[in-house]
Amino acid sequence: MIVAVALLVLAILGAPLFTVIASSAMIGLRSEDADLMSFALNFLEIASMDFLVAIPLFTFAGYLLSESNAPQRLVRMTGSLLGWMPGGLAVVALAACAFFTAFTGGSGVTIIALGAILYPALQHDGYADRFNLGLVTSSGSLGLLFAPSLPIILYGVVSEVPIDKLFLAGILPGTLMLCMLAGYSMWINRGIRKPLSSFSGSEIWAALKESAWEIPLPFVVLGGIYSGFLVVSEAAAITALYVFVVEVLVHREIPFRELTGIVRSSMVLVGGILIILGVSIVSTDYMIGAGIPQLLLEWVSTLVSSQTSFLLLLLLFLLVLGAILDIFSAIVLVVPLILPIAAGFDVHPVHLGIVFLAAMELGYLTPPVGLNLFISSYRFEQPILHVYSATFPFLMILLLSVILIAFWPGLSLWLVPT
Amino acid sequence: MPDNEPSVLQRLDAAGRWVENLFLVGLLAAMMLLSVAQIIAREFFNTGFFWAGEFIRILVLWLAMVGAVAACRENRHIRVDAISHLLSEPVVRIARVVVDVFAAAVCAVIAWHSWRYLQEEIAYEDVVLVDTPAWVAHIVVPVAFALMSYRFVIGAGQSVVQLRAGKEGQDA
């Protein structure tokens, strides 16, 4: 007990999360007189997971995209397609951010790459400053439910749910989140009747031509996977190579000397995620050996009795969890423990995954440690409290959508073949 | 103390960064090209490299470990970042020293036990990729944890130096 409190304090003081998880696993193993050599044995399981290679490859592709001019081209293309709506620019911002986040995996890159273009553009078009700040901050994690986002892949790896099923399951709930935010944005800005642009065939054609090299990307990823032609890890390799060829060799927007830096910063993120995965495997193996999921299930069963009340409890738990932990650590640490519990309440593992990711998406926006809040505060030089309050209405809308997603399993499971 | 000659530590630092970059670029390029080559071989030549899957998984292990070492240097390991926005600068620095010493100790323990595990693999002549000794593939684990332990010690040392510099600044 004292040890647990000490580790918790260390975590709050800012100890790297992997060291906290590793030490708790080692203490657990020691308490059962196990040789700590077994730590190394279990840690090496990260070298036996099939689809893990997709994570470095997609991350690299996402970093390359965000360093090129692809964000500008994406905004122009979405603008030409959606800009005619009332509140057009806000809708454009949401759609472009969702698309971009799917490819860059919710590491804060979206706010930096796209927010820098959209925020001034929104201001210029007369949208209220508070609205713009909230919109850009909350769209930084929108799109996590769309393929091929890193959290979905990580959930698939950890839960052993087929990743292609998760990709399909995320489409409708992700679209729901997007539509609710878009609806809110149009309602709030109903005073600003001025559309961004009129619907123009020639502008659409020009924008499409400009993005001609990037447009095939989603089709490579999704088409390749759903046709059965490629597995996720292969689609990741092709995406990475394709993006490299397009942005470095064809568009020549990234000089060769900058590549090392891009590789380094993307792989630093990957290393940080995968080492947490490695030590979490050790700690999960220990906990399963000690029968902890079983104990948890019994304990939860004393609290709730129906699937509905279980989902409610789960949502509460995930919202608190998301406010404290980042999405990657939460997935590797918590998913193995709640999978058997959810199965006990007949929650489909695919649906559980979507609820988990959707709820954790809110974690990006909840104080005290919401990543998007800090990135936004830093990037747009706004006081953090101002960012909190500007983001609040968007957070509430997203909360509503997460509740809908949780209690409407059909939305997640509709497109998934049984 | 202005000093234009880079110290031993600084040279070590630059060399370490260079080696990390070399590994990261090489490993990523290898896994990307090997994966694509594998698809081409399968789809167009109806063949494949039976060892490719296992080799790529070992590359992932190496990339994860080298990336984690690099993350220490960049101070980008995932943390619960709750207090740095709430407490004053010196308090945050003191907390930093404490957690870095803790992290260094944890990494040292893991490095030691995975080193022992490696000795077992050598003794039992475990192999990967048909006939390669397993320790060749797995040596990255103890080495990386040892390096991380070293980086955390350096990090704690730097925080102490900054703390003392801050104090002297206040006294003056």
Side-chain angles (χ1 to χ4, degrees):
Chain A
M1 190 65 207
I2 298 168
V3 177
V5 172
L7 286 179
L8 199 63
V9 169
L10 281 164
I12 292 168
L13 286 180
L17 219 45
F18 84 90
T19 62
V20 177
I21 300 165
S23 54
S24 80
M26 287 195 287
I27 291 165
L29 287 168
R30 280 307 301 154
S31 73
E32 302 198 332
D33 287 322
D35 190 316
L36 287 184
M37 259 198 294
S38 61
F39 187 100
L41 178 67
N42 286 340
F43 182 86
L44 281 171
E45 276 180 44
I46 56 169
S48 62
M49 301 180 121
D50 260 331
F51 301 113
L52 215 50
V53 67
I55 289 181
L57 292 172
F58 273 131
T59 309
F60 176 61
Y63 269 68
L64 273 183
L65 278 176
S66 63
E67 293 288 327
S68 70
N69 293 334
Q72 282 89 329
R73 287 193 285 275
L74 178 62
V75 170
R76 180 171 176 200
M77 190 174 73
T78 351
S80 74
L81 293 171
L82 301 174
W84 49 270
M85 296 181 180
L89 187 57
V91 178
V92 168
L94 289 167
C97 285
F99 182 82
F100 199 71
T101 305
F103 269 86
T104 56
S107 49
V109 182
T110 307
I111 297 180
I112 294 172
L114 276 178
I117 309 168
L118 293 169
Y119 188 62
L122 285 161
Q123 270 178 328
H124 179 262
D125 269 23
Y127 291 85
D129 191 50
R130 247 177 85 83
F131 171 82
N132 303 340
L133 192 62
L135 180 82
V136 174
T137 309
S138 44
S139 22
S141 52
L142 199 64
L144 280 186
L145 292 180
F146 296 130
S149 90
L150 291 187
I152 303 191
I153 296 173
L154 196 59
Y155 180 89
V157 167
V158 171
S159 68
E160 293 175 356
V161 172
I163 296 172
D164 49 345
K165 284 192 178 174
L166 290 167
F167 280 178
L168 284 173
I171 295 174
L172 291 180
T175 310
L176 175 76
M177 287 178 135
L178 189 59
C179 288
M180 285 176 66
L181 283 187
Y184 169 75
S185 302
M186 283 156 119
W187 169 251
I188 283 290
N189 294 300
R190 61 195 180 282
I192 305 178
R193 274 283 166 203
K194 182 183 126 199
L196 177 65
S197 57
S198 49
F199 192 83
S200 140
S202 59
E203 166 60 16
I204 292 181
W205 178 243
L208 286 181
K209 234 168 62 182
E210 194 186 59
S211 303
W213 283 99
E214 277 108 0
I215 291 171
L217 258 184
F219 299 102
V220 170
V221 176
L222 300 175
I225 293 170
Y226 295 133
S227 63
F229 187 70
L230 301 171
V231 293
V232 172
S233 46
E234 294 173 338
I238 293 201
T239 304
L241 190 64
Y242 183 85
V243 170
F244 174 81
V245 169
V246 168
E247 309 302 345
V248 180
L249 302 178
V250 177
H251 283 310
R252 294 170 187 256
E253 288 165 352
I254 299 171
F256 266 97
R257 62 178 187 291
E258 282 176 20
L259 273 175
T260 314
I262 296 174
V263 170
R264 186 181 173 90
S265 49
S266 56
M267 291 310 113
V268 158
L269 175 73
V270 170
I273 296 172
L274 292 189
I275 196 164
I276 292 187
L277 176 64
V279 296
S280 295
I281 294 171
V282 183
S283 110
T284 306
D285 280 357
Y286 159 72
M287 285 200 245
I288 289 174
I292 289 176
Q294 204 51 42
L295 290 176
L296 273 176
L297 176 59
E298 281 163 24
W299 179 68
V300 171
S301 303
T302 61
L303 293 175
V304 294
S305 51
S306 69
Q307 196 194 51
T308 312
S309 47
F310 166 72
L311 282 172
L312 196 65
L313 186 71
L314 178 72
L315 263 189
L316 282 175
F317 168 71
L318 290 178
L319 292 176
V320 174
L321 186 72
I324 308 166
L325 273 190
D326 70 281
I327 192 164
F328 301 113
S329 317
I331 291 171
V332 296
L333 262 182
V334 177
V335 167
L337 296 180
I338 61 170
L339 267 173
I341 305 175
F345 287 94
D346 272 338
V347 176
H348 195 289
V350 171
H351 180 226
L352 177 73
I354 300 303
V355 173
F356 193 96
L357 297 173
M360 294 306 293
E361 189 172 323
L362 295 188
Y364 280 87
L365 305 175
T366 41
V369 295
L371 181 67
N372 285 4
L373 298 169
F374 292 115
I375 293 179
S376 207
S377 156
Y378 172 78
R379 187 69 189 72
F380 305 118
E381 297 175 355
Q382 299 282 345
I384 188 79
L385 286 176
H386 183 56
V387 182
Y388 285 168
S389 69
T391 313
F392 189 74
F394 294 89
L395 182 62
M396 288 299 109
I397 307 262
L398 285 173
L399 180 63
L400 188 65
S401 70
V402 171
I403 294 171
L404 277 172
I405 291 166
F407 292 102
W408 185 8
L411 191 67
S412 312
L413 299 175
W414 200 340
L415 296 176
V416 182
T418 43
Chain B
M1 192 169 61
D3 194 351
N4 295 330
E5 275 291 292
S7 69
V8 179
L9 271 183
Q10 279 167 328
R11 276 189 203 169
L12 217 59
D13 195 74
R17 181 180 290 270
W18 192 82
V19 173
E20 284 162 17
N21 287 348
L22 192 71
F23 266 97
L24 292 174
V25 171
L27 290 164
L28 184 69
M31 66 173 61
M32 189 161 79
L33 296 176
L34 189 56
S35 301
V36 173
Q38 176 85 337
I39 304 167
I40 294 172
R42 185 189 64 211
E43 296 298 330
F44 296 101
F45 302 102
N46 219 352
T47 171
F49 323 110
F50 66 93
W51 46 268
E54 190 184 359
F55 187 67
I56 289 174
R57 288 195 288 271
I58 294 171
L59 290 180
V60 174
L61 172 73
W62 279 67
L63 194 68
M65 297 316 298
V66 180
V69 173
C72 283
R73 195 188 298 277
E74 313 277 330
N75 198 3
R76 274 188 45 201
H77 269 294
I78 296 175
R79 306 165 187 259
V80 178
D81 192 12
I83 61 158
S84 61
H85 308 277
L86 299 174
L87 302 177
S88 68
E89 181 84 18
V91 181
V92 171
R93 284 216 189 286
I94 293 171
R96 214 41 203 268
V97 176
V98 174
V99 299
D100 276 358
V101 169
F102 166 76
V106 173
C107 288
V109 173
I110 300 175
W112 167 242
H113 287 291
S114 43
W115 181 254
R116 283 178 55 227
Y117 178 73
L118 216 64
Q119 305 306 312
E120 292 278 296
E121 282 191 329
I122 295 170
Y124 284 95
E125 295 180 4
D126 288 350
V127 290
V128 291
L129 294 167
V130 188
D131 55 1
T132 313
W135 67 267
V136 176
H138 297 162
I139 194 167
V140 69
V141 177
V143 171
F145 274 107
L147 285 173
M148 281 192 268
S149 184
Y150 164 76
R151 291 299 328 167
F152 283 122
V153 170
I154 297 277
Q158 280 168 346
S159 296
V160 170
V161 170
Q162 279 163 341
L163 258 175
R164 292 178 65 177
K167 265 216 183 96
E168 275 163 27
Q170 275 175 2
D171 293 344

